[in-house]
Amino acid sequence: MMRASLKENKPGEAKKFFRNAKDRGVELDAAAYSIVIQAFCKIPDVNLACELLSEMRDKGWVPSDNTFTSVIFACVKQGNMAEALRFKDEMVNCGKQLNVVVATNLVMGYCKKGDFCSALDLFDKMNERGPSPNKVTYAVMIEWCCKNGNMDKAYELYTQMKKKDVCPSVFTVNSLIRGFLKMQSLEEAYKLFDEAVAFGISNVFTYNHLLSWLCKEGKVSEAYRLWEKMVSEGVQHTEVSYNSMILGHCRQGNLDMASSVFSDMLKRGLKPNVITYSVLMDGYFKRGDIEYAFDLFDRMVDENIVPSDFTYNTIINGLCKVGRTSDAQDKLKKFVECGFVPICLTYNSIIDGYLKEGSISSALTTYREMCESRISPNVVTYTTLINGFCKSNNIGLAMKMRNEMKNKGLELDVAAYCALIDGFCKRRDMKTASQLFSELVEVGLPPNSIVYNTMISGYRNLGNMEAALNLHKRMLSEGIPCDLRTYTTLIDGLLKEGKLLPASDLYSEMLANGIMPDIITFTVLINGLCNKGQVENAQKILREMDMKDMTPNVLIYNALIAGHFKGGSLEEAFRLHNEMLDRGLVPNDTTYDILVNGNVSDGNSRSGVSCV
């Protein structure tokens, strides 16, 4: 009866029969103990299973391989490696060979506890002394190598198993593909994928892992080719396949294609799930089509699909992004009534929305509400607040948040430091900005191009080009790429000081690094040259723009007109005015102030740029 109960997967019934027999005084043999031990392992009641196994040993009985294996497996499953290893030793001391099932379970136990060195040591011993690892053993080792990001070892084991004629399972191949994709090694992932397809050990999950990654990375064209390959290979698309393609199109802003894939999904009889609807809603929110996004939400609810936390957060974030933060907060209250539990991300969206709308008080109220709800603000929360306060010139509040953050043991990230540095640079307080820059370096955070550009702009605005150029040299020495903004700011500062040669050298360096000037750079160059009487060189820059099919703006023409007017070339000044009109540019007040009144004395401020 105990055996029958166990075969029908009713371990509880087997336990009852065992208790009943014991109560009646029935002398049970080793077979009965073995059966009930396996039953206790399945319930699971590992402690009682271990007690009965010890009782068997006390009676002088030698438990079977299956009995030892069941108990060891149950101990491993509960994370009790000490007991599992004790019974393994007892099994060997009974004269029994360590079998591959027990060894594999022990390897898995070590992996789950994070003791990968012991797992690898036992695996190596299996290869040296036996039992030889089978495809399950390899699968366990490879999976945990992939989870730990040790892809070199994972692939080494994969190669080893093939050399030993141990055929990899699709589970193993999929683990490797996931691991390589996680490490951004698409080439290696494709190599395994092609191999799996060629040898017929791929399944729909193999395709979906790759499809999902490609769509998340924005490689939608490549994902579509894989989609077509699934069709040609006879692999049926699943809900996961469709969700991946919808996500890819949404992230590219191609909502028409996303909707087309969604329609195709319905035609093929596949039922969209909460992920499908949430991803589509997110796409429409980002496009600003709030009405259709809510239509999708209503449709989802009508189909009895329960919204997830991701759905609720998508709606709240979507409303905040389009300047409807108050509506988002109202929705939050309704969602909470439906059982939604807000998280830090939820409040971060609302705080960011209020700050972008310029409502500092509402952002602070939401922050306090967040804290009162016992939701701990994270680095993103504080960075958002600091950035918002700095942009609204509330530097005192920003510093208060910075201190509060430090008091809570949270480290400022580069974005938070950058916001503070930018705030002080705009206040022309380069002393404090410089102190924060030094602090950033001291705490071990590498300043990026944005931080350097902010500092360079700050020094340029004060006319301290020596400090700005020193930062440029530091960027080069530390291997931090100088971008277009870096060069444009430095060139602007040097031209304003009349240092044409160093400005020209920087422009040449910029071009040599493959950085092409934009309209702002050309405006800076032409304005700077004209202000220093270099009108002919400025005209060359204008011709360079024409060669690049870039249309000059009004600021550029104003600078050139002022330059020619100042040099007495009135005919050329009026010709440029006519050229402006021919290009469809509308002259502004400054243009006519120069042409009519000859007012070029303040050309530096009137025709100059402050957009760098």
Side-chain angles (χ1 to χ4, degrees):
M1 292 302 294
M2 285 164 54
R3 186 178 286 112
S5 297
L6 201 57
K7 281 185 177 179
E8 289 191 358
N9 200 27
K10 296 178 180 177
E13 291 295 311
K15 178 182 175 181
K16 286 179 185 177
F17 283 118
F18 178 77
R19 292 291 189 202
N20 189 262
K22 291 278 277 186
D23 292 343
R24 290 172 179 270
V26 176
E27 280 291 330
L28 296 169
D29 58 9
Y33 271 82
S34 294
I35 294 166
V36 81
I37 285 170
Q38 290 177 54
F40 282 133
C41 288
K42 284 190 174 184
I43 288 174
D45 190 341
V46 181
N47 291 335
L48 196 50
C50 292
E51 285 177 22
L52 289 173
L53 186 60
S54 298
E55 199 175 311
M56 282 185 78
R57 298 289 292 125
D58 292 341
K59 290 177 180 287
W61 297 334
V62 177
S64 66
D65 286 2
N66 282 343
T67 308
F68 273 118
T69 302
S70 296
V71 173
I72 291 168
F73 177 70
C75 289
V76 167
K77 202 171 181 181
Q78 283 203 339
N80 193 343
M81 282 300 290
E83 280 292 274
L85 291 167
R86 184 173 72 81
F87 283 117
K88 183 267 291 182
D89 292 338
E90 197 171 312
M91 180 181 180
V92 173
N93 291 336
C94 287
K96 296 185 175 295
Q97 292 291 323
L98 181 67
N99 61 57
V100 70
V101 177
V102 170
T104 300
N105 273 296
L106 290 171
V107 166
M108 187 186 295
Y110 280 129
C111 288
K112 284 183 176 178
K113 287 183 75 70
D115 188 357
F116 196 68
C117 290
S118 296
L120 193 58
D121 184 55
L122 178 55
F123 180 82
D124 290 339
K125 284 177 182 174
M126 288 174 72
N127 275 314
E128 292 168 11
R129 307 173 195 169
S132 293
N134 60 14
K135 68 162 63 178
V136 179
T137 323
Y138 276 105
V140 169
M141 287 295 295
I142 289 170
E143 183 192 9
W144 284 93
C145 282
C146 293
K147 282 183 177 178
N148 291 324
N150 191 349
M151 294 310 299
D152 290 339
K153 187 64 183 178
Y155 194 74
E156 179 190 319
L157 291 170
Y158 174 70
T159 306
Q160 184 187 115
M161 75 183 292
K162 289 195 295 180
K163 283 180 180 176
K164 291 189 173 186
D165 293 325
V166 179
C167 182
S169 67
V170 67
F171 174 83
T172 302
V173 173
N174 288 349
S175 291
L176 283 160
I177 289 172
R178 282 197 309 272
F180 280 121
L181 291 174
K182 192 177 178 182
M183 301 296 289
Q184 302 291 309
S185 302
L186 182 59
E187 188 179 342
E188 293 297 328
Y190 261 126
K191 182 180 172 184
L192 278 162
F193 171 78
D194 292 338
E195 192 176 302
V197 172
F199 286 99
I201 55 170
S202 61
N203 60 13
V204 69
F205 297 104
T206 318
Y207 285 89
N208 279 344
H209 291 321
L210 201 50
L211 192 70
S212 175
W213 188 88
L214 289 169
C215 289
K216 284 176 182 175
E217 293 294 313
K219 300 177 183 290
V220 181
S221 299
E222 207 168 329
Y224 185 73
R225 288 195 290 272
L226 185 63
W227 177 275
E228 291 294 297
K229 185 177 177 67
M230 289 176 79
V231 175
S232 64
E233 294 287 339
V235 180
Q236 293 292 321
H237 298 126
T238 64
E239 287 87 349
V240 174
S241 315
Y242 277 98
N243 287 349
S244 294
M245 291 302 293
I246 289 169
L247 174 67
H249 288 306
C250 284
R251 285 196 171 177
Q252 285 195 332
N254 193 342
L255 272 299
D256 291 337
M257 278 303 298
S259 293
S260 175
V261 174
F262 178 68
S263 298
D264 187 56
M265 184 181 186
L266 296 174
K267 285 177 187 174
R268 293 183 182 274
L270 291 172
K271 189 176 180 182
N273 55 24
V274 67
I275 296 172
T276 320
Y277 281 107
S278 299
V279 167
L280 267 173
M281 285 165 56
D282 186 49
Y284 279 102
F285 270 121
K286 283 176 179 171
R287 193 165 81 172
D289 194 341
I290 309 299
E291 188 177 340
Y292 191 75
F294 277 115
D295 284 345
L296 284 167
F297 179 74
D298 293 337
R299 182 173 174 178
M300 182 182 80
V301 173
D302 289 342
E303 291 181 12
N304 295 318
I305 298 172
V306 179
S308 65
D309 287 356
F310 173 67
T311 316
Y312 290 129
N313 281 317
T314 294
I315 293 170
I316 290 164
N317 186 59
L319 288 169
C320 292
K321 293 292 183 188
V322 296
R324 290 174 54 180
T325 311
S326 295
D327 292 342
Q329 199 150 37
D330 291 339
K331 286 285 182 188
L332 174 59
K333 290 172 185 174
K334 291 179 182 177
F335 293 158
V336 168
E337 290 171 5
C338 295
F340 171 58
V341 179
I343 56 174
C344 191
L345 173 72
T346 317
Y347 284 102
N348 287 351
S349 295
I350 295 172
I351 290 168
D352 183 54
Y354 277 130
L355 288 170
K356 283 177 178 171
E357 291 172 23
S359 183
I360 303 296
S361 58
S362 297
L364 280 169
T365 301
T366 305
Y367 169 71
R368 285 192 286 269
E369 182 185 316
M370 178 184 185
C371 296
E372 287 165 8
S373 300
R374 296 185 179 179
I375 296 172
S376 298
N378 60 13
V379 174
V380 175
T381 318
Y382 284 108
T383 302
T384 302
L385 286 163
I386 289 168
N387 189 44
F389 293 150
C390 286
K391 283 184 175 177
S392 60
N393 203 27
N394 281 287
I395 203 76
L397 275 174
M399 290 301 286
K400 183 182 177 183
M401 284 296 149
R402 176 240 196 180
N403 295 334
E404 191 171 316
M405 190 177 178
K406 284 194 165 186
N407 291 336
K408 289 186 177 180
L410 290 171
E411 296 291 334
L412 278 77
D413 59 7
V414 174
Y417 274 107
C418 188
L420 285 167
I421 289 168
D422 185 54
F424 281 105
C425 284
K426 283 174 180 171
R427 290 166 68 92
R428 305 175 78 85
D429 183 356
M430 292 308 296
K431 182 180 178 183
T432 307
S434 184
Q435 287 171 352
L436 286 164
F437 182 85
S438 299
E439 185 182 309
L440 167 70
V441 175
E442 285 166 12
V443 298
L445 292 172
N448 55 25
S449 299
I450 299 170
V451 177
Y452 272 106
N453 286 342
T454 302
M455 289 291 292
I456 289 169
S457 292
Y459 282 122
R460 184 276 314 268
N461 292 339
L462 287 180
N464 188 350
M465 287 308 296
E466 184 181 353
L469 289 166
N470 283 337
L471 283 172
H472 169 242
K473 288 176 185 175
R474 184 168 171 177
M475 286 178 79
L476 295 175
S477 66
E478 292 179 3
I480 296 166
C482 299
D483 57 18
L484 183 60
R485 185 187 168 192
T486 317
Y487 285 107
T488 304
T489 306
L490 288 168
I491 290 167
D492 182 48
L494 289 168
L495 287 173
K496 282 176 180 174
E497 289 188 355
K499 297 177 179 176
L500 304 185
L501 186 58
S504 178
D505 289 342
L506 273 174
Y507 184 64
S508 299
E509 181 186 305
M510 181 184 91
L511 296 176
N513 289 333
I515 301 170
M516 293 297 107
D518 64 0
I519 189 69
I520 297 174
T521 315
F522 281 123
T523 306
V524 163
L525 286 165
I526 291 172
N527 184 65
L529 289 168
C530 287
N531 283 333
K532 298 304 172 186
Q534 299 282 323
V535 184
E536 287 187 15
N537 286 330
Q539 286 283 166
K540 289 178 183 177
I541 299 293
L542 182 64
R543 287 195 289 274
E544 189 179 329
M545 287 185 73
D546 288 334
M547 289 172 64
K548 294 180 183 294
D549 291 325
M550 291 181 71
T551 304
N553 56 30
V554 175
L555 291 173
I556 287 174
Y557 274 106
N558 285 351
L560 286 164
I561 290 169
H564 282 295
F565 206 101
K566 199 174 182 180
S569 303
L570 303 186
E571 186 178 342
E572 181 61 18
F574 280 102
R575 189 196 68 77
L576 284 167
H577 167 259
N578 294 334
E579 188 179 298
M580 276 181 78
L581 297 174
D582 292 341
R583 287 180 181 266
L585 293 172
V586 180
N588 59 16
D589 291 343
T590 303
T591 319
Y592 290 115
D593 199 21
I594 297 168
L595 290 169
V596 177
N597 300 320
N599 191 354
V600 295
S601 59
D602 60 345
N604 188 53
S605 60
R606 284 179 175 271
S607 60
V609 287
S610 58
C611 49
V612 187

